[in-house]
Amino acid sequence: MKIALLDSGIGLLAATAAVRRLRPDADLVLSLDPDGMPWGPRAPEDIVGRALGLAEAAAAHGPDALIIGCNTATVHALTALRARLEPDLPVIGTVPAIKPAAAGGGPFAIWATPATTGSPYQRGLIADFADGVPATEVPCHGLAEAVEHADEAAIDAAVAAAAALTPEDVTTVVLGCTHYELVAERIRAAVQRPGRPPLVLHGSAGAVAAQALRRLGEQPAPEAAPTGTLTVLLSGREGTALPAPALAYEEGRLLRTATPAR
């Protein structure tokens, strides 16, 4: 089994690590776009074009499924990618976990990029899935970029700024950008209020990995031999390894130690 993932940068590491944990025997193809990132400020048609380019580069390696490991790319390019690649290549998007967050019943916040915050897409998800539970949209200025470069000081500053915009009564935070899952515990520490119940965080990586297996009719097999390989594509070019900042995160180190790049 071979699964491809695409993103502008290393935000796809969370979903990639989730796939690796569920199926250590799966070959992985990671298609990143260092030449074009960040995608957030780009026009929607530009994001679609770049996502299609990454997807076609990955498809040339014969994957059985393609995960869009990026919320921004899912918003703008999921329809185009499915039109281009399905039914031959199943395409799985990444959607903020608003429905499970609302199921907890308490007020929740959605941390997302400034471009996604307040967008018709996110407002539609809130209307469809929040079920009347109070939801606060929190724009996280510079956080994705800081995570991408593993800039510790910038991460701390961006997390602190977003935490200051998060109401004190929230019980749950939805991580509405895949990059944020790489610093989830730092977000938890910044938002957790003294004397309040433990904060719940909802990311998308585990659900996306599980959905990819379901689309392929496969079952999780975490006990399988770790024989899966790792192929890295950088703006369509064959790379020899993950970008250096990836190794600052547990998810990147898992991939480095569990699979040989080829």
Side-chain angles (χ1 to χ4, degrees), residues 111 138-141 143 157-166 191:
W111 283 32
V138 176
C140 302
H141 296 275
L143 181 53
V159 167
L165 298 175
T166 303
V191 179

Side-chain angles (χ1 to χ4, degrees), residues 80-106:
L81 287 166
R82 284 181 167 165
R84 178 76 59 88
L85 300 171
E86 291 189 340
D88 295 335
L89 180 61
V91 179
I92 297 93
T94 298
V95 177
I98 291 172
K99 188 173 183 178

Side-chain angles (χ1 to χ4, degrees), residues 6-8 39 42-55 66-86 91-94 121:
L6 72 79
D7 186 8
S8 62
W39 283 1
R42 291 183 174 275
E45 59 272 18
D46 193 10
I47 294 172
V48 171
R50 301 201 75 88
L52 285 170
L54 293 191
L66 172 68
I67 293 172
I68 308 174
C70 172
N71 295 89
T72 297
T74 299
V75 170
H76 297 297
L78 178 60
T79 300
L81 287 166
R82 284 181 167 165
R84 178 76 59 88
L85 300 171
E86 291 189 340
V91 179
I92 297 93
T94 298
Y121 166 77

Side-chain angles (χ1 to χ4, degrees), residues 2 4 17 25-26 34 48 53 75 80 84 94 97 123 127 129 152 166 168 177 190 201 225-226 235 252 261:
K2 182 180 289 186
D25 57 337
V48 171
V75 170
R84 178 76 59 88
T94 298
R123 292 279 169 87
F129 298 117
E152 296 292 323
T166 303
E168 292 196 6
C177 169
L201 297 181
S235 298

